[in-house]
Amino acid sequence: MNSTLTQLLRPGGGITMNNTLIRLLKLAAPIRGWMALAALVGSLTVASGIGLMATSAYLISAAALHPSVAALQVAIVGVRFFGIARGVFRYLERMVSHRATFRLLSNLRVWFYTALEPLMPARLLTDKDGRVEGLRSGDLLRRVVADIDVLQNFYIRIVAPPVVAVIIGLGMWALLGAFGGIFALIYCICFLLASIAVPLLTHLLSKRLGQELVETRAELHTQLVDRIQGLADLVAFGQEEQQAQELAMLNTRLNRMQMAMAQISGLQGSLSNFLMNLTAWAMLLAAIPIISTGHLNGVFLAVIVLSTLASFEILLPLPGAFQQLGGSLTAAQRLFTIVDAPPAIQDPITPSPQPTGHTFEIKQLGFRYEATEPEVLKNITLTLPEGQCLAIIGPSGSGKSTLTRLLLRFWDYQEGQILLGGHELKAYQQEDLYRMISVVEQDTHLFNTTIRENLLIARSDATEEELILACQQAQLHDFVQTLPSGYHTQVGEQGLRLSGGERQRVAIARAFLKNAPILFLDEPTVNLDAVTERAILQALRVLCQGRTTLMIAHRLTELDMADEIVVLQNGQIIERGKQEQLLNAHGLYWQMHQQQYTTLRKLDDSTNKKVS
């Protein structure tokens, strides 16, 4: 596991709350114009509501004195204006704020994917325990989707309301100050209590709970993804009830947290309403003596009280916003732990050199995943000439896949050299390197789309004729023609609507379509039956012609196409040569050959007995 990412994933490991808050605000910089416009329109909405309440109060109070209609015309027009303006500004505020939020979420998803891409696959490779360098695949999905969605609360409910509250607070301070300093003072005290003290109390009560809520919800989603992916195995082994109980316990824990959060919401709502009513009563108690002495017209009593109550519209969401702050910051931290993980590979600053050919030369190569771990490869020296096929075999854990990943620059080696076309492999930009290489793996990933779209991943600009030719070479075209929708047939999630052999043919067709000069075959026929294996091997022999080919193999039936075979054990080359030479040497290759063919003979004998 990568130590840097592991340290980042620990609580408090590299990312503080203050730093997270600042970074979140910086991420909003591209839409700061939209956010400013949303704050402005939001302020105008609340101001229109205050104006509507104030003019309505004045109109009713003044009308009670039975003046002429002309004396009420301004108030009547004001009521109409503010009533219409409030509806218009409310609509504009919703439209602008949601457009800003959606743009921000879109930018965040692109930002996160862009940051995630350089980490793949070295930093996020799934290990044998099903974890992804400190993460599980379900947790990574949760971060990509749900944690980014949580951040919309930060921008639309946490950033914008305080800005609007400050604007409205200053406006109300000026308005009430015009009626008397005592009103401005009362309002400032109650305003600060409602806008700072209650949100702060709410934040302190819900900070840890909000963090745990995000983490528990993420854990529940992760467990659900894991259980759904392995549902067939759970049913087969009768473990579905036990797993359902574990999920139920986790769900119960989440429900308790949500109830606790709801109780805090109820508390903050009660406090906010109490302060709002307290402000109204304080205004009344302060205004009545002033009106009694004749220093203030009694018509303005309702104006002062009702406009004050109307201004609390912007203060009521603040405690709820700060209640969600802990969860939003935790979601952001979960994203930043991934983004901040350094990529395993750094592209050179200079452009890629022009290779003089496609020969690989490996000289005294040594590699370990971590400085504290033992070497996976030791003193590997070999040459893969252009246009030839080199097969690498060995027991599990001997370093075969690691060597392939180094040649693909998923990691950088610490010792020795790898030359491609006469130039150091590290001198190539990754994008330029991948243009020269096609890969056919044992587990071909197919996207949940059509066969055609899965093929065009290799070359998006391929013509219909080129696509059909590649499928014919891979012995896939005839099968596709039997499907009702042909190349437009949906393959299902991970290509599960196709058999293993059909998925491998799609992978081979991709390699034909890409037509790269270098080919890596990573156990392409593993887990296939003998008949399908024979057909796949026939297609692979055609694919290998004229290409520099590196083949990782467990089954020795594939090795007759190899010009040279290299046997690895414990990260070292212990044998090399042609198949006949290795068999005559009676070494590890001979032992593996004998073991596999003995097993095959036993299977054949068993099958023959059953048939007879």
Side-chain angles (χ1 to χ4, degrees):
M1 183 182 297
N2 177 259
S3 58
T4 304
L5 182 56
T6 305
Q7 186 175 359
L8 286 169
L9 288 169
R10 291 172 185 158
I15 299 178
T16 64
M17 285 294 184
N18 291 336
N19 186 35
T20 301
L21 186 61
I22 294 171
R23 292 178 69 176
L24 280 176
L25 293 175
K26 288 181 178 179
L27 285 174
I31 62 160
R32 58 183 178 273
W34 282 96
M35 295 187 68
L37 180 60
L40 175 61
V41 179
S43 300
L44 291 174
T45 302
V46 179
S48 297
I50 295 171
L52 176 62
M53 191 65 74
T55 53
S56 298
Y58 176 82
L59 179 60
I60 295 171
S61 299
L65 301 177
H66 304 289
S68 65
V69 176
L72 301 176
Q73 282 296 340
V74 174
I76 293 171
V77 172
V79 170
R80 290 175 179 174
F81 171 77
F82 287 121
I84 295 172
R86 187 173 187 273
V88 172
F89 286 133
R90 177 66 71 191
Y91 171 77
L92 292 175
E93 184 261 337
R94 289 287 187 265
M95 183 181 71
V96 172
S97 63
H98 282 82
R99 176 164 293 189
T101 301
F102 292 146
R103 287 195 175 195
L104 180 65
L105 290 177
S106 176
N107 292 343
L108 285 175
R109 290 188 180 102
V110 173
W111 159 79
F112 186 71
Y113 180 82
T114 304
L116 187 65
E117 196 173 22
L119 302 178
M120 301 292 285
R123 286 285 184 252
L124 299 173
L125 275 174
T126 303
D127 64 20
K128 63 183 179 181
D129 296 321
R131 295 181 178 270
V132 186
E133 286 288 346
L135 301 174
R136 284 168 288 182
S137 56
D139 191 24
L140 183 61
L141 178 64
R142 166 78 190 180
R143 296 178 195 232
V144 173
V145 179
D147 286 345
I148 289 179
D149 285 341
V150 167
L151 294 185
Q152 67 179 313
N153 294 326
F154 177 80
Y155 293 102
I156 199 171
R157 298 180 182 177
I158 298 175
V159 174
V163 175
V164 178
V166 170
I167 296 172
I168 296 301
L170 292 174
M172 285 299 298
W173 174 77
L175 174 65
L176 294 172
F179 293 105
I182 186 63
F183 302 117
L185 178 62
I186 293 172
Y187 184 80
C188 284
I189 293 173
C190 294
F191 180 86
L192 292 176
L193 286 173
S195 62
I196 296 177
V198 175
L200 181 60
L201 175 63
T202 303
H203 173 61
L204 293 176
L205 289 175
S206 60
K207 178 181 177 181
R208 184 173 182 81
L209 181 62
Q211 296 172 3
E212 292 178 353
L213 186 63
V214 171
E215 292 168 357
T216 304
R217 189 181 287 117
E219 178 65 17
L220 178 60
H221 288 195
T222 301
Q223 295 289 353
L224 281 171
V225 171
D226 287 345
R227 268 50 171 191
I228 291 171
Q229 288 177 339
L231 189 58
D233 291 331
L234 293 177
V235 173
F237 288 97
Q239 294 295 314
E240 62 271 24
E241 184 175 349
Q242 179 183 347
Q243 298 298 323
Q245 290 176 354
E246 292 180 4
L247 288 175
M249 292 174 59
L250 197 57
N251 189 55
T252 302
R253 180 184 170 194
L254 179 63
N255 288 339
R256 283 200 300 267
M257 291 180 179
Q258 290 173 330
M259 290 181 64
M261 192 67 79
Q263 291 172 352
I264 295 174
S265 297
L267 174 63
Q268 63 89 8
S270 300
L271 290 175
S272 297
N273 285 324
F274 171 75
L275 286 172
M276 182 175 66
N277 293 317
L278 178 64
T279 306
W281 280 103
M283 290 292 183
L284 279 172
L285 294 175
I288 290 173
I290 298 174
I291 293 172
S292 300
T293 58
H295 290 90
L296 180 67
N297 192 335
V299 173
F300 294 112
L301 176 62
V303 174
I304 293 172
V305 175
L306 294 180
S307 62
T308 300
L309 290 175
S311 69
F312 269 76
E313 176 188 353
I314 189 55
L315 298 182
L316 294 178
L318 289 180
F322 283 87
Q323 182 182 359
Q324 297 174 357
L325 180 59
S328 296
L329 292 179
T330 301
Q333 284 180 311
R334 285 164 51 81
L335 297 175
F336 290 144
T337 54
I338 303 297
V339 172
D340 292 340
I345 298 297
Q346 295 289 344
D347 272 338
I349 301 175
T350 57
S352 300
Q354 188 64 36
T356 57
H358 300 102
T359 295
F360 273 107
E361 297 177 74
I362 303 174
K363 301 178 181 179
Q364 297 179 334
L365 179 67
F367 176 75
R368 66 184 78 222
Y369 287 101
E370 294 292 337
T372 57
E373 295 181 0
E375 280 189 308
V376 181
L377 295 174
K378 308 170 190 175
N379 197 28
I380 302 295
T381 299
L382 57 86
T383 300
L384 173 54
E386 182 173 8
Q388 293 192 19
C389 177
L390 174 68
I392 299 180
I393 70 164
S396 298
S398 59
K400 305 184 299 298
S401 297
T402 298
L403 179 59
T404 306
R405 290 168 180 171
L406 291 178
L407 295 178
L408 287 167
R409 278 209 80 199
F410 289 172
W411 283 275
D412 272 337
Y413 43 93
Q414 297 95 4
E415 301 173 10
Q417 282 185 303
I418 300 178
L419 304 178
L420 172 58
H423 300 280
E424 185 78 33
L425 194 65
K426 296 178 182 179
Y428 290 94
Q429 300 278 344
Q430 286 177 278
E431 187 176 348
D432 295 328
L433 177 65
Y434 297 153
R435 286 197 191 100
M436 294 186 282
I437 302 175
S438 293
V439 180
V440 179
E441 298 181 292
Q442 55 179 308
D443 296 318
T444 301
H445 181 82
L446 298 185
F447 294 91
N448 190 6
T449 182
T450 64
I451 294 176
R452 176 186 175 82
E453 292 298 322
N454 274 288
L455 291 169
L456 290 178
I457 290 172
R459 261 185 59 205
S460 58
D461 60 344
T463 64
E464 191 72 19
E465 291 76 14
E466 290 172 330
L467 187 144
I468 291 175
L469 177 60
C471 290
Q472 289 173 338
Q473 292 172 316
Q475 300 182 20
L476 178 66
H477 180 70
D478 291 341
F479 162 72
V480 174
Q481 293 300 103
T482 64
L483 300 174
S485 301
Y487 285 96
H488 296 284
T489 300
Q490 295 284 332
V491 301
E493 188 174 359
Q494 298 182 1
L496 292 180
R497 293 184 181 178
L498 303 180
S499 68
E502 290 156 1
R503 289 196 293 270
Q504 287 302 88
R505 287 190 179 94
V506 172
I508 295 170
R510 280 177 178 171
F512 274 116
L513 191 61
K514 186 175 182 180
N515 198 26
I518 301 172
L519 175 65
F520 288 170
L521 304 175
D522 189 358
E523 302 181 37
T525 63
V526 71
N527 299 325
L528 297 179
D529 60 84
V531 176
T532 305
E533 179 188 31
R534 210 169 292 119
I536 295 297
L537 285 175
Q538 184 178 348
L540 288 175
R541 287 189 179 91
V542 177
L543 179 61
C544 292
Q545 291 176 4
R547 291 183 171 86
T548 304
T549 304
L550 178 71
M551 179 168 59
I552 305 296
H554 268 307
R555 299 173 69 163
L556 307 186
T557 55
E558 307 165 5
L559 301 183
D560 58 337
M561 68 178 77
D563 296 291
E564 185 181 14
I565 301 171
V566 171
V567 183
L568 288 182
Q569 188 175 38
N570 297 324
Q572 294 178 299
I573 298 176
I574 60 169
E575 297 179 27
R576 62 194 310 168
K578 292 187 178 295
Q579 189 172 32
E580 186 177 350
Q581 296 172 332
L582 296 176
L583 288 173
N584 292 333
H586 291 269
L588 179 60
Y589 181 84
W590 177 82
Q591 294 176 15
M592 295 174 64
H593 186 274
Q594 291 296 107
Q595 184 178 11
Q596 285 196 18
Y597 279 93
T598 299
T599 302
L600 288 175
R601 281 196 297 270
K602 288 181 178 178
L603 289 173
D604 289 340
D605 293 341
S606 176
T607 303
N608 292 333
K609 288 180 180 178
K610 290 180 181 179
V611 172
S612 60

